[in-house]
Amino acid sequence: QVQLVESGGGLVQAGGSLRLSCAASGRTFSSYAMGWFRQAPGKEREFVTAISWSGGNTYYADSVKGRFTISRGNAKNTVYLQMNSLKPEDTAVYYCAADRERFGRTIATMMRVDTYDYWGQGTQVTVSS
């Protein structure tokens, strides 16, 4: 069992930056691929970014490419989401998620909510215009 706890959300002006963290419990964190998703009010949860278990591969939604960066620190059991040049449309609850499957995932699979086995409780990000 893995528990995920997000932190770092808050209120920021458009153009600003935030860094989200997701701390994971459990000794097998380094073997999990990790993803960040977000959900705005009245909308479905959507993919933001993901990183392979090794950290060697990263994937981004087109809407955040060039502005957001995912990274992981396996020694600290933590995955990070650096968000720059934030826009009001980035306002949402941000969730991190863990995928137990190490191999065979396609990019399309990594973008699916149902690929992931464990989820955090979410952290609110609000970007004011």
Side-chain angles (χ1 to χ4, degrees):
Q1 188 74 9
V2 173
Q3 290 187 322
L4 304 173
V5 179
E6 301 97 335
S7 61
L11 173 64
V12 64
Q13 287 189 331
S17 298
L18 281 175
R19 189 193 195 204
L20 304 184
S21 299
C22 173
S25 65
R27 294 176 293 176
T28 54
F29 169 79
S30 61
S31 66
Y32 296 161
M34 300 295 296
W36 285 96
F37 289 73
R38 65 187 182 187
Q39 189 167 17
K43 295 188 176 181
E44 293 187 352
R45 193 168 297 190
E46 66 173 4
F47 172 79
V48 176
T49 180
I51 189 167
S52 63
W53 65 271
S54 67
N57 294 295
T58 56
Y59 315 94
Y60 295 93
D62 288 342
S63 60
V64 306
K65 204 170 292 183
R67 300 188 298 123
F68 290 11
T69 303
I70 189 171
S71 61
R72 65 189 299 159
N74 286 344
K76 295 184 178 181
N77 278 16
T78 303
V79 63
Y80 305 98
L81 180 60
Q82 178 66 45
M83 305 185 296
N84 299 328
S85 302
L86 283 161
K87 305 175 182 180
E89 50 264 43
D90 295 318
T91 295
V93 177
Y94 283 71
Y95 298 89
C96 71
D99 174 16
R100 291 177 296 186
E101 184 60 49
R102 293 181 69 180
F103 303 105
R105 295 301 200 198
T106 65
I107 295 174
T109 302
M110 294 299 291
M111 297 175 66
R112 292 172 56 93
V113 170
D114 60 4
T115 292
Y116 296 82
D117 303 290
Y118 305 104
W119 291 84
Q121 83 291 347
T123 185
Q124 177 70 46
V125 171
T126 303
V127 184
S128 62
S129 58

